[in-house]
């Protein structure tokens, strides 16, 4: 191994420097001149954090070093100058360096995490944050939490999953546009209620996956501390109806509606328009008389807004539908209006289940080892309500338990009348 390709030396040295935080020039010289001792020298560099944490003679360190040399040594002996053009040789050298380094990481990372070496834990934490941030899509422009902010959720919450839900949920609700709208008149605003509802539905849909990625698998009741209420139920019903009509996933529908609720852009009605475009796409309007197409689209939007007002516009009017049923009725009102103009809107597609999605959702709700359902938890909504829920709980109590959760409701969902702004 005295004639390792220069590009292999450079790539591997850079990988080692990034992983260990050690001096690049020293590591470059090590890779270039260590010869047959290179596997051992790499082990010393990549396991230094473990050695400092547990000591030179600790069985975990000694065993890991032996495994490292046994695994990486043979791979280093297969590195060759390569054949073909200069570009091909450079590509081969880079591929060889990445292959050797990946194998080295596969040995070094698990033992570092197992003994809780600081660098290994920090690397694991950084990797989890990167994965979690990649799962956060569909927020209005500029609202995606930074890696630093996600790190703060983890630091502040520690091992407390419910605390993580509070910190992450609060930030995500705000980023998604929820303002816990409280009308100053007796009439509810469809724009603000829909915006809040979409934000709440988006967070409840997305947070379990994000939490699982950062090591906080959720139980269903963990989400009960987040705001939901009538706005969330209306949004859920609307999203499900749009998904059934359009054939698009609830993920995509929620993302589209959430992005359209950008308060900074002051586009209050864009969510209704987006809902119409998903329910009654432009191609469905091609069968409408050309002079009426634009009007048909806007009348569909107005029909949805009117349907909202019919059920939840007046705070003194007891609604005759659950929030979820109202959301579905809103969607159907938009479709019916377009059809009266002659639009050809396809009917709801048969419900289909995605086994992979089911498995992912189930995995997100598996409690970690040693944790029993509900153990050590704070009382959920109705016992110690979070901000914005106190009056809704009081109203539920005064109503004689009308809002009791049933076996068919999702976490945090309540059936029957509630204050839509809550």
């Amino acid at each position: 191994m005295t004639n390792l390709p220069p590009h292999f030396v450079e790539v591997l040295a850079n990988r080692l420097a990034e992983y260990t935080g050690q001096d690049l020039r020293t590591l470059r010289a090590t890779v270039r001149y260590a010869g047959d001792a290179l596997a051992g020298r790499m082990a010393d560099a990549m396991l230094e954090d473990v050695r400092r944490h547990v000591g030179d003679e600790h069985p975990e360190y000694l065993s890991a070093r032996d495994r490292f040399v046994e695994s990486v040594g043979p791979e280093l002996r297969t590195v060759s100058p390569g054949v073909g053009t200069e570009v091909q040789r450079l590509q081969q050298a880079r591929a060889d360096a990445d292959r050797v380094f990946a194998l080295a990481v596969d040995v070094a990372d698990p033992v570092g995490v197992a003994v809780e070496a600081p660098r290994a834990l920090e690397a694991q934490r950084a990797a989890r944050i990167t994965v979690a941030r990649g799962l956060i899509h569909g927020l209005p422009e500029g609202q995606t939490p930074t890696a630093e902010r996600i790190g703060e959720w983890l630091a502040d919450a520690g091992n407390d999953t419910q605390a993580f839900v509070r910190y992450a949920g609060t930030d995500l609700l705000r980023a998604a546009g929820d303002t816990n709208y409280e009308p100053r008149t007796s009439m509810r605003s469809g724009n603000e209620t829909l915006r809040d509802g979409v934000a709440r539905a988006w967070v409840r849909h997305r947070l379990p996956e994000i939490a699982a990625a950062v090591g906080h698998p959720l139980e269903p009741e963990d989400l009960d501390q987040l705001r939901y209420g009538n706005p969330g139920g209306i949004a859920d019903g609307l999203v499900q109806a749009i998904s059934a009509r359009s054939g698009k996933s609830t993920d995509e529908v929620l993302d589209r509606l959430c992005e359209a609720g950008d308060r900074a852009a002051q586009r209050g009605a864009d969510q209704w328009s987006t809902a119409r475009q998903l329910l009654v796409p432009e191609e469905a309007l091609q069968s409408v008389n050309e002079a009426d197409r634009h009007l048909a689209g806007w009348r569909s939007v107005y029909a949805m807004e009117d349907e909202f007002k019919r059920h939840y516009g007046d705070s003194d009017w007891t609604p005759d539908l659950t929030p979820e049923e109202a959301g579905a009725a809103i969607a159907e009102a938009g479709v019916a209006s377009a059809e009266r103009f002659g639009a050809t809107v396809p009917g709801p597609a048969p419900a289909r289940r995605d086994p992979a999605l089911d498995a992912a959702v189930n995995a997100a709700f598996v409690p970690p080892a040693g944790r029993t359902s509900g153990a050590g938890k704070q009382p959920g909504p109705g016992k110690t309500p979070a901000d914005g829920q106190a009056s809704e709980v009081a109203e539920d109590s005064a109503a004689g338990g009308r809002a009791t959760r049933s076996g068919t409701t999702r976490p945090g969902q309540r059936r029957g009348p509630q204050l839509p702004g809550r």
Side-chain angles (χ1 to χ4, degrees), residues 221-244:
E221 62 267 28
D222 288 327
L223 295 175
D224 285 353
Q225 60 191 306
L226 299 180
R227 291 194 293 269
Y228 184 71
N230 282 354
I234 292 169
D236 267 337
L238 178 62
V239 166
Q240 293 297 331
I242 292 174
S243 178

Side-chain angles (χ1 to χ4, degrees), residues 21 23 65 160 199 228 270 331 408-409:
D23 180 65
R65 193 181 189 284
D160 187 339
Y228 184 71
D270 271 12
T408 60
T409 56

Side-chain angles (χ1 to χ4, degrees), residues 28 31 46 116 148 176 190 225 286 325 334 344 351 357 377 408:
R28 186 184 292 122
V31 176
M46 294 182 70
E116 297 185 343
E148 291 75 15
Q225 60 191 306
Q286 294 307 305
E325 291 168 342
T344 54
L357 178 60
K377 293 187 174 296
T408 60

Side-chain angles (χ1 to χ4, degrees), residues 1-18 20 22-46 68 72 75-77 79 93 96-98 100-101 104:
M1 290 186 293
T2 56
N3 294 314
L4 292 172
H7 194 59
F8 174 92
V9 171
E10 189 65 27
V11 172
L12 184 57
N14 273 278
R15 299 287 184 270
L16 290 170
E18 292 168 0
T20 65
Q22 297 177 21
D23 180 65
L24 174 59
R25 288 177 297 179
T26 301
L27 290 168
R28 186 184 292 122
T30 296
V31 176
R32 180 176 291 129
Y33 301 118
D36 292 339
L38 179 55
R41 298 293 294 277
M42 287 176 61
D44 292 339
M46 294 182 70
F68 191 108
V72 176
E75 292 299 317
L76 286 168
R77 289 191 284 273
V79 177
D96 283 343
D98 286 338
V100 169
F101 180 71

